[in-house]
């Protein structure tokens, strides 16, 4: 059985969340399967084997789950990218628009060094707005977006197209 098939069999669809008309792809059932979690982390690392990665940055909050494990497997640092007001030290910020308003992401200003190659990880790629904001944070620190990794990509929303301006290294284990 392929990794994509395993993921699609366990991911739960939640209708009308967070608002009517949305079918939310819930990865939390994956977290109950320790073996599958390990397989997913290994599969992500294998997809990235040809990409130079100095740091893995995970986007709050589900990007922390596999982002940290991936960083450990790759033997590189992990950096959290958080919602505004959640990090305790000096930060830089990037605001972005959502379908229903706006949001702001932050990263510690000393978390990533100039010139480092940063992999951005999140659980799911939809329209790409959050990931674009994370990419702009990496660029503000004079670092390089090495690529992206996701458990799931919703290809019909064309988020990958928005990321090409930052990196063409875009990997997902399952696509819808």
């Amino acid at each position: 059985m392929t990794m994509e098939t395993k993921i699609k069999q366990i991911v739960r669809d939640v209708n009308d969340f967070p608002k009517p008309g949305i079918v939310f792809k819930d990865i939390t059932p994956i977290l109950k399967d320790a073996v599958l979690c390990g397989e997913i982390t290994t599969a992500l690392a294998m997809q990235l084997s040809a990409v130079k990665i100095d740091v893995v940055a995970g986007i709050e909050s589900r990007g922390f789950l596999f982002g940290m494990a991936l960083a450990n497997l790759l033997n590189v640092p992990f950096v959290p990218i958080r919602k505004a007001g959640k990090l305790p030290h000096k930060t830089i910020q990037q605001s972005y628009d959502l379908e229903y308003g706006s949001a702001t992401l932050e990263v510690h200003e000393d978390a990533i060094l100039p010139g480092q190659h940063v992999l951005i990880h999140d659980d799911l790629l939809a329209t790409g707005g959050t990931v674009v904001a994370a990419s702009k944070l990496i660029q503000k620190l004079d670092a390089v977006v090495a690529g992206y990794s996701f458990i799931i990509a919703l290809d019909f929303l064309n988020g990958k197209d928005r990321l090409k301006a930052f990196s063409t290294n875009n990997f997902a284990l399952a696509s819808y």
Side-chain angles (χ1 to χ4, degrees):
M1 180 181 316
T2 68
M3 181 57 59
E4 181 168 35
T5 300
K6 288 181 181 182
I7 290 168
K8 286 183 173 183
Q9 284 182 345
I10 198 167
V11 166
R12 174 174 41 214
D13 285 351
V14 179
N15 292 319
D16 298 321
F17 183 83
K19 63 182 188 177
I22 302 291
V23 178
F24 185 82
K25 298 293 185 192
D26 181 12
I27 69 158
T28 59
I30 291 172
L31 304 177
K32 296 191 297 186
D33 187 334
V35 172
L36 181 58
C37 286
E39 290 174 355
I40 285 171
T41 305
T42 299
L44 289 169
M46 288 175 54
Q47 283 186 331
L48 299 161
S49 63
V51 180
K52 178 179 174 39
I53 299 168
D54 300 313
V55 175
V56 173
I59 299 173
E60 183 169 349
S61 66
R62 291 179 304 272
F64 296 173
L65 301 171
F66 288 94
M68 180 68 183
L70 182 58
N72 283 338
L73 187 61
L74 297 173
N75 198 31
V76 298
F78 176 78
V79 170
I81 296 178
R82 303 225 40 203
K83 296 173 185 165
K86 302 287 185 179
L87 292 171
H89 192 56
K90 295 177 185 173
T91 63
I92 62 166
Q93 296 185 338
Q94 181 66 47
S95 294
Y96 61 105
D97 292 325
L98 300 163
E99 310 83 56
Y100 48 85
S102 63
T104 301
L105 292 178
E106 295 183 319
V107 67
H108 281 136
E109 66 182 13
D110 61 355
I112 298 166
L113 301 175
Q116 284 188 309
H117 291 78
V118 181
L119 174 77
I120 298 173
H121 175 77
D122 205 356
D123 67 323
L124 184 138
L125 173 64
T127 63
T130 304
V131 185
V132 166
S135 300
K136 289 178 180 179
L137 280 175
I138 302 307
Q139 288 184 333
K140 284 181 178 181
L141 293 171
D142 295 322
V144 177
V145 177
Y148 305 96
S149 69
F150 306 97
I151 309 295
I152 297 169
L154 303 180
D155 289 345
F156 61 93
L157 293 175
N158 300 315
K160 287 182 182 179
D161 292 341
R162 295 184 68 190
L163 304 181
K164 290 178 185 174
F166 303 96
S167 176
T168 56
N169 295 320
N170 191 327
F171 304 96
L173 295 177
S175 297
Y176 291 86

